[in-house]
């Protein structure tokens, strides 16, 4: 059943994202068709432009985008002979720290740079500053492991109380009310959260704070988990692994981790006519309404976590690649630009579906494509 559900999510994403106005999705081709060195290949990355890319490109950050980054790196390296892209999935906070210390060419983060982080980046970006370039979209799924329950509905209030250790059992009255006819066990809830600083955590904080302000009093800007109780695990992969193996558990991570491990996910009662499932299609409906709040070449986005639009899944994130607008290291700049040009290209965005991500809305992708070539 779970395997069918996994395949169904992907199939749904493929059809519906095209309808949502996002970039059309197609499946990846085989890397066996690569023609190293000439910048072209058939299949998923047939139009990779290597330009003057060479040597090693170091990057670090978001675990949320790791599965997408793995695909991008694989395709880019197959097309561009002699190039190595090394991305360390250490969490958004760790990535920003490394970027602002000059240890990596770019950082991946599930939240935009804070003003103080922008100021700090000016020390590294000589004559410029760090900017936020949206690159990956998708839902933050609420995964759970509960025998006999393969269709679970929660709302923002119950989620807030569960993660704040105020609802402790699965047959709690508040959960039962949202799931009439479902036999909920008298099982202790085992809630898992991130142990590292994470933009995924921050996006969940923002959702709970905006959608359930009466029940969630913790700082929505924090990348660190602040609620009492629960159990911690490192990275999205760590949280997903704990949920996968722990009966009665619940946790949060990107949809790709749920689909790859066949973990059941919560449907959200948002106030729309029907509960909304965590799919790339439904996340795209919410992301499409995002507004650019950054100025100049900074494309930081403002997301609507309180949306009640039909079929719009509100716990969403957009992962940014953070680079210097000016002041990038001369020896890595050509590779940085070539790689980011690929990731935001039609080809680069198409491969996201197979990993459970949503491509950027066309309008936002077009803006990123204008800015990447101007990096200096």
């Amino acid at each position: 059943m779970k395997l069918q559900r996994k395949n169904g999510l992907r199939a749904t994403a493929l059809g519906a994202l095209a309808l949502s106005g996002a970039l059309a999705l197609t499946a990846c081709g085989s890397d066996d068709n690569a023609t190293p060195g000439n910048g072209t290949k058939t299949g998923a990355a047939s139009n990779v432009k290597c330009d003057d890319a060479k040597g090693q490109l170091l990057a670090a950050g978001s675990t949320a985008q790791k599965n997408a980054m793995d695909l991008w790196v694989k395709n880019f390296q197959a097309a561009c002979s002699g190039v190595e892209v090394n991305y360390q999935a250490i969490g958004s906070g760790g990535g920003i720290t490394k970027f602002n210390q000059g240890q990596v060419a770019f950082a991946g983060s599930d939240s935009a740079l804070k003003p103080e982080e922008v100021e700090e980046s000016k020390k590294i970006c000589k004559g410029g500053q760090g900017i936020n370039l949206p690159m990956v979209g998708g839902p933050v799924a609420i995964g759970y492991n509960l025998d006999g329950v393969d269709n679970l509905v929660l709302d923002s209030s119950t989620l807030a109380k569960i993660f704040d250790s105020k609802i402790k059992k699965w047959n709690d009255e508040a959960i039962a009310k949202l799931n009439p006819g479902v036999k909920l066990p008298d099982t202790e809830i085992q809630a898992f959260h991130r142990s590292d600083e994470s933009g995924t955590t921050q996006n969940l904080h923002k959702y709970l704070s905006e959608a359930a302000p009466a029940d969630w009093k913790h700082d929505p800007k924090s990348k660190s988990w602040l609620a009492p109780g629960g159990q911690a695990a490192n990275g999205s992969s760590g949280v997903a692994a704990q949920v996968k193996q722990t009966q009665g558990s619940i946790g949060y991570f990107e949809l790709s981790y749920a689909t790859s491990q066949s973990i059941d996910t919560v449907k959200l009662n948002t106030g729309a006519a029907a509960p909304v499932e965590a799919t790339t299609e439904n996340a795209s409906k919410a992301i499409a309404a995002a507004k650019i709040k950054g100025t100049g070449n900074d494309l930081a986005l403002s997301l609507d976590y309180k949306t009640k639009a039909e079929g719009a899944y509100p716990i969403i994130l957009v992962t940014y690649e953070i680079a210097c607008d000016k002041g990038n290291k001369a020896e890595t700049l050509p590779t940085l630009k070539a790689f980011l040009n690929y990731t935001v290209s039609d080809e680069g965005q198409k491969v996201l579906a197979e990993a459970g991500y949503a491509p950027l809305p066309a309008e936002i992708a077009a803006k990123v494509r204008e800015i990447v070539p101007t990096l200096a």
Side-chain angles (χ1 to χ4, degrees), residues 16 38 46 53 57 68 70 75 84 112 114-115 141 161 194 202 211 213 222 224 243 298 314 337 365 373:
N38 66 3
S46 59
L57 186 68
D70 286 348
N75 289 338
E84 179 186 354
K114 297 177 181 178
K161 291 175 181 176
R194 293 278 291 271
Q202 187 183 55
S222 176
S224 299
V243 171
D298 186 272
K337 292 169 71 172

Side-chain angles (χ1 to χ4, degrees), residues 228-299:
Q231 301 176 62
N234 187 63
S236 291
S237 59
V239 175
Q242 290 298 324
V243 171
K244 177 72 174 179
Q245 67 187 24
T246 307
Q247 181 58 209
S249 61
I250 188 170
Y252 59 94
F253 32 79
E254 293 66 43
L255 181 62
S256 61
Y257 292 93
T259 55
S260 65
Q261 299 186 49
S262 298
I263 298 173
D264 285 321
T265 60
V266 167
K267 293 180 180 178
L268 291 178
N269 181 338
T270 64
V276 185
E277 189 171 2
T279 67
T280 50
E281 170 201 356
N282 294 340
S284 288
K285 291 178 181 178
I287 294 172
K291 306 295 184 184
I292 295 175
K293 64 180 181 181
T295 57
N297 285 346
D298 186 272
L299 296 181

